[in-house]
Amino acid sequence: MLDTMRRPLQDLRISVTDRCNFRCGYCMPKEIFNREYQFLARDQLLSFEEITRVARILVEKGVSKIRLTGGEPLLRAQLERLVEMLAFDDVDLTLTTNGSFLSRKAQVLADAGLTRVTVSLDSLDDDVFQAMNDVEFPVAGVLEGLEAASAAGLGPIKINAVVKRGVNDHTILEMARHFKNTSYILRFIEFMDVGHTNGWRLDDVVPAAEILATISAKLPCEPVEPNYTGEVARRYRFLDGTGEFGIISSVSQPFCGNCTRLRLSAEGVLYTCLFATDGSDIRAILREGASDEDLASFVDTIWKARTDRYSELRSSQTSGLDKVEMSYIGG
Ligand code: SF4
């Protein structure tokens, strides 16, 4: 199934909760997501059965990769039950997490059918990391989670580090050195104007070219072909053969032309772009008793009409739009 730019539907990102135990400023700033913030109530959330039904229909439409996200997905109780329900044949089932619960959950998730994890870790410097997650969660806790995921066979494990100028850009090289010569694949992510609360400014973005220059000046590397069409990270390998890293450059080198991603929020709204301002409510028709055919044609209509390419159109006019929060639909 192709959209208006002939992009196939291949990736489904499912947010299972809008809650998180971290308050990373680029995603969920504490001053907004505070004690008064109205998170989704339990009955607003799609049940595991509802999520599985929508996912099954999307797999029949061509989805071959499902990513579980949040907020922090491991805050959703018994997530391993959902993993078991979503372990479809020939579907790559992955999860993006801040790693804080991974040391406890990695094995049970792997046993349930999860294939891989991506863990967010913005710095190895404890002061910097704790300043970024804004809840004083230590680096050691995430590294423990990484080891548990590795021991459970949830690999290749990717590590996502959002880079913000003047905050953690001085620790890029340390990160690259630390994960070089390991099985982990580190990806640096340009700070993005997701949502409408993270105070994004272009001046705070460290462009991919600068990240690459910082690394290659000390650790010579070369570009590598993508693993598949639509891969978000640009890959680079170290010339001394000790591994690779990636850079996700939504701001300076947009990749909308190959974007094959659809997102489902925890309350059952479908979004065709990370930077969308509105979505399509599939929960309503689900709970009105829609048939599989009804749901399938609902999805058809949405994807076939898709024109999104926000990152190619980004400007000072667009960054202030009332975009959906990343913590609500997952990264
Ligand atoms: S900006 Fe939207 S269309 Fe472009 S790559 Fe990101 S999610 Fe896809």
Side-chain angles (χ1 to χ4, degrees):
M1 182 166 65
L2 301 178
D3 71 7
T4 63
M5 293 168 65
R6 304 197 60 72
R7 299 170 294 186
L9 169 60
Q10 282 172 350
D11 296 64
L12 173 62
R13 298 192 172 189
I14 303 175
S15 168
V16 295
T17 178
D18 62 340
R19 297 168 192 256
C20 186
N21 56 329
F22 283 12
R23 287 292 179 274
C24 305
Y26 54 80
C27 175
M28 232 178 170
K30 198 183 261 183
E31 55 280 7
I32 308 285
F33 296 89
N34 52 31
R35 289 182 192 291
E36 281 71 53
Y37 188 84
Q38 288 298 307
F39 290 99
L40 294 172
R42 185 136 195 84
D43 61 356
Q44 292 175 290
L45 299 179
L46 289 185
S47 67
F48 289 170
E49 289 71 20
E50 289 171 324
I51 292 173
T52 305
R53 188 167 172 221
V54 172
R56 180 174 47 73
I57 285 161
L58 289 165
V59 167
E60 287 160 10
K61 292 274 168 199
V63 162
S64 57
K65 184 171 156 186
I66 294 177
R67 178 175 297 281
L68 296 174
T69 68
E72 170 47 44
L74 296 181
L75 277 176
R76 181 93 185 240
Q78 297 192 318
L79 192 72
E80 56 274 14
R81 267 193 54 232
L82 177 61
V83 168
E84 226 166 80
M85 295 160 80
L86 292 174
F88 301 118
D89 293 342
D90 306 323
V91 170
D92 182 14
L93 184 55
T94 72
L95 173 127
T96 298
T97 170
N98 63 26
S100 57
F101 302 105
L102 209 42
S103 52
R104 272 181 276 156
K105 297 289 280 190
Q107 192 57 57
V108 70
L109 291 166
D111 296 343
L114 192 70
T115 50
R116 294 183 297 116
V117 288
T118 297
V119 178
S120 306
L121 179 63
D122 298 322
S123 183
L124 288 162
D125 179 310
D126 235 346
D127 295 338
V128 173
F129 181 55
Q130 294 187 23
M132 291 190 81
N133 66 50
D134 213 1
V135 291
E136 299 184 2
F137 190 87
V139 170
V142 178
L143 296 179
E144 246 177 64
L146 283 169
E147 278 165 31
S150 187
L154 291 171
I157 298 173
K158 294 178 178 171
I159 297 169
N160 283 353
V162 173
V163 180
K164 191 172 177 184
R165 191 178 296 288
V167 180
N168 65 334
D169 52 331
H170 61 289
T171 69
I172 290 172
L173 203 50
E174 182 194 9
M175 288 280 276
R177 282 208 165 97
H178 181 88
F179 290 109
K180 192 171 175 290
N181 225 355
T182 71
S183 60
Y184 300 116
I185 301 174
L186 178 59
R187 291 112 56 90
F188 296 98
I189 304 180
E190 289 180 343
F191 175 37
M192 294 183 285
D193 51 334
V194 288
H196 53 276
T197 59
N198 70 0
W200 186 83
R201 301 177 316 139
L202 190 56
D203 293 349
D204 297 334
V205 175
V206 180
E210 191 177 326
I211 295 172
L212 182 59
T214 302
I215 295 170
S216 55
K218 301 290 182 189
L219 306 169
C221 51
E222 63 183 0
V224 187
E225 286 303 309
N227 289 307
Y228 56 89
T229 306
E231 184 171 22
V232 287
R234 288 171 187 251
R235 299 171 62 210
Y236 301 90
R237 77 166 146 244
F238 297 110
L239 292 183
D240 63 3
T242 56
E244 68 171 84
F245 65 96
I247 304 177
I248 299 175
S249 53
S250 164
V251 179
S252 67
Q253 299 158 341
F255 39 81
C256 302
N258 286 322
C259 180
T260 59
R261 293 171 288 283
L262 182 65
R263 293 172 166 85
L264 176 65
S265 76
E267 68 174 329
V269 181
L270 289 167
Y271 292 88
T272 51
C273 177
L274 176 59
F275 302 91
T277 50
D278 54 18
S280 308
D281 182 357
I282 198 168
R283 184 189 66 188
I285 61 168
L286 254 175
R287 293 186 177 175
E288 283 159 12
S291 67
D292 283 2
E293 291 68 36
D294 297 337
L295 296 174
S297 68
F298 184 81
V299 169
D300 269 10
T301 312
I302 293 165
W303 190 262
K304 289 179 178 168
R306 180 183 185 234
T307 58
D308 301 272
R309 54 192 191 94
Y310 174 86
S311 287
E312 292 174 355
L313 304 172
R314 179 184 282 111
S315 70
S316 53
Q317 274 76 50
T318 62
S319 60
L321 288 171
D322 190 18
K323 294 176 258 107
V324 64
E325 292 296 340
M326 183 164 76
S327 58
Y328 174 80
I329 57 169

